[in-house]
Amino acid sequence: MSEIDDKKIVLAVDEKPKLGQWILLSIQHLFAMFGATVLVPTLTGMNPAIALISSGIGTLVFIFITKGKVPSYLGSSFAFINPIIALKLLEADPTSGLPVGSFLVGSFLVGVVYSLVALLIAKAGTNWLMRLLPPIVVGPVIMVIGLGLASTAVGMVTNNPAGEYDLTYVSIGLVTLAITIITAIFTRGFLSVVPVLIGIIGGYCFAAIMGVVDFTKVIEANWIQVPDFMVPFVDYTPSVSWYVILLMLPVAIVPIAEHIGHQLVLSKVIDKDLIKDPGLHRSMLGDGVATMLASVIGGPPNTTYGENIGVLAITRAFSIYVFIGAACFAIVFGFCGKVAALLSTIPAPVMGGVSILLFGIIASSGLRMLVENNVDFKVKRNLIISSVILIIGIGGAAIHIGELFSLEGMALASIIGIVLNIVLPGRKDVDFDEMFKKS
């Protein structure tokens, strides 16, 4: 694949590949999304098998809503790791009064927000969105997400299940991190796109050598097994609270901005203006519906994956059928008990090792957004907005009013950032069409 001329299209978006080519290209996209999609539920205590199934279903729904014109894969969103962990901890605390399944209710509401934004885009265009979420707001918020998760990654690498420092865990984490970095830097072609997957495989093998992996679950598991879905009104009674709304919904600005960026990049890769046809409103709606469906079966919020856009750029095979195949493979994998059991045996330091790099990349991507959009920090308003967002978000600042209202961390930082951008003088609006031309 790496020898293909960059300007030559191997498969057009609407072109159906031959069976053998179809299978190989689909599996390639499955590998590209696999590591990150599985990592999110592993970190948040959700079921990785359900995440695979929901990503496959979400991708098929996305393809349908976008009329088969947007070759994208939808996987687990990293933006909601902290809010989901926080909500699940509160659900486990009987004194909090937060009912089981609140994090899934929050995920569903996030999908509703995506859908409402899609409706507004369809009615009012796109420039209002860029005025509300300019790079000076979104960039620091993305940095908060990555830096706020730093202690989680380090804790997974350094502490054993008893919460004690363990040198074996540290060695596994560092070996996993080293393999991931080496793969990302020194490989070419497809391997350079899936360093997370290679890192997890390499770290897992090293952990097995160190005697940390227990294969009992894999041996006992059935090949075909239905995962434990969490269905509303069956496994829990949905309940909306202000705490869930304020913890989850403000974070939605990050995947929304990420989605716009992905559509701009993808448009450039396939040389078609996807913002106009099928339209940003359709792709945003696809994200929203996919996230709502994921929450209904117990999966994490979905988002379009940059990893798969990278694979498209390398292979030049843009066929939508390849993504349909990858989605079907993901669903099948989700119902394979052996695969689900194998995923559950991945040691914490392995996931922690790749998380050190991934969470750092998230923070760096926020910085990159500021640099690429020429945000001038000699301008006081820019310096003020970014500084306030970073300190409030990373410092875990909170506003509590009795037991009914609570706003903290990243959610509080996001809202304050938006407000500061609106009220401080000297704002320069970003034109969406100009942004597309520069992409």
Side-chain angles (χ1 to χ4, degrees), residues 58-91:
T59 299
L60 294 176
V61 170
F62 178 89
I63 290 172
F64 175 77
I65 291 176
T66 55
K67 301 180 178 180
K69 295 182 178 181
V70 183
S72 287
Y73 194 93
L74 274 64
S76 308
S77 172
F78 277 75
F80 298 94
I81 292 175
N82 258 345
I84 291 175
I85 291 175
L87 287 173
K88 292 197 74 174
L89 287 173
L90 285 171
E91 290 176 19

Side-chain angles (χ1 to χ4, degrees), residues 176-189:
T176 303
L177 177 61
I179 293 172
T180 308
I181 293 173
I182 290 170
T183 305
I185 297 296
F186 296 104
T187 60
R188 295 291 180 267

Side-chain angles (χ1 to χ4, degrees), residues 8 58 60 82 120 167 176 181 192 200 205 208 226 233 240 251 278 281 294 346 352 371 397 415 424 427 436:
K8 179 183 178 182
L60 294 176
N82 258 345
L120 286 172
L167 189 57
T176 303
I181 293 173
S192 66
I200 291 175
C205 292
V226 178
F233 302 107
V240 179
V251 185
H281 63 290
I346 300 176
V371 173
I415 292 174
L424 292 181
R427 183 181 70 186
F436 176 73

Side-chain angles (χ1 to χ4, degrees), residues 290-310:
T291 294
M292 286 188 280
L293 289 175
S295 69
V296 168
I297 64 174
N302 284 332
T303 185
T304 49
Y305 260 27
E307 293 91 332
N308 295 89
I309 296 176

Side-chain angles (χ1 to χ4, degrees), residues 363-379:
S364 299
S365 66
L367 181 61
R368 178 181 175 182
M369 175 178 283
L370 296 172
V371 173
E372 289 184 345
N373 287 277
N374 299 315
V375 175
D376 187 359
F377 281 97
K378 292 179 182 178
V379 178

